[in-house]
Short mmCIF file of all heavy atoms in Angstrom, two decimals:
data_model
loop_
_atom_site.label_atom_id
_atom_site.label_comp_id
_atom_site.label_asym_id
_atom_site.label_seq_id
_atom_site.Cartn_x
_atom_site.Cartn_y
_atom_site.Cartn_z
N VAL A 64 9.90 30.07 3.28
CA VAL A 64 8.70 30.87 3.09
C VAL A 64 8.20 31.50 4.42
O VAL A 64 8.15 30.75 5.48
CB VAL A 64 7.57 29.94 2.62
CG1 VAL A 64 6.20 30.57 2.55
CG2 VAL A 64 7.99 29.61 1.02
N GLN A 97 -4.61 17.35 1.90
CA GLN A 97 -5.51 17.77 0.87
C GLN A 97 -5.10 17.12 -0.57
O GLN A 97 -5.74 16.37 -1.18
CB GLN A 97 -5.72 19.18 0.74
CG GLN A 97 -6.80 19.66 -0.20
CD GLN A 97 -6.67 21.18 -0.42
OE1 GLN A 97 -5.63 21.66 -0.87
NE2 GLN A 97 -7.71 21.87 -0.02
N ILE A 153 4.68 13.20 12.26
CA ILE A 153 4.47 13.35 10.83
C ILE A 153 4.83 12.18 10.00
O ILE A 153 4.20 11.84 9.10
CB ILE A 153 5.06 14.67 10.29
CG1 ILE A 153 4.51 15.91 11.09
CG2 ILE A 153 4.79 14.86 8.83
CD1 ILE A 153 4.97 17.19 10.51
N VAL A 184 11.44 -13.06 -6.65
CA VAL A 184 12.40 -12.44 -5.70
C VAL A 184 11.63 -11.83 -4.50
O VAL A 184 11.92 -12.00 -3.47
CB VAL A 184 13.20 -11.42 -6.33
CG1 VAL A 184 14.71 -11.44 -5.74
CG2 VAL A 184 13.19 -11.49 -7.86
N HIS A 193 5.96 -3.00 -2.86
CA HIS A 193 7.01 -2.29 -2.32
C HIS A 193 8.00 -1.78 -3.50
O HIS A 193 8.49 -0.69 -3.51
CB HIS A 193 7.87 -3.23 -1.46
CG HIS A 193 7.56 -2.91 0.02
ND1 HIS A 193 6.59 -3.58 0.79
CD2 HIS A 193 8.15 -2.04 0.78
CE1 HIS A 193 6.62 -3.10 1.95
NE2 HIS A 193 7.52 -2.11 2.08
N LEU A 219 10.32 5.33 -15.98
CA LEU A 219 9.60 4.61 -14.91
C LEU A 219 8.86 3.47 -15.56
O LEU A 219 8.74 2.29 -14.94
CB LEU A 219 8.54 5.52 -14.18
CG LEU A 219 7.62 5.01 -13.24
CD1 LEU A 219 8.48 4.36 -12.02
CD2 LEU A 219 6.70 6.02 -12.60
N GLY A 220 8.35 3.55 -16.72
CA GLY A 220 7.68 2.47 -17.43
C GLY A 220 8.58 1.36 -17.59
O GLY A 220 8.28 0.26 -17.23
#
Side-chain angles (χ1 to χ4, degrees):
Chain A
V64 167
Q97 189 192 55
I153 298 185
V184 218
H193 257 97
L219 179 57

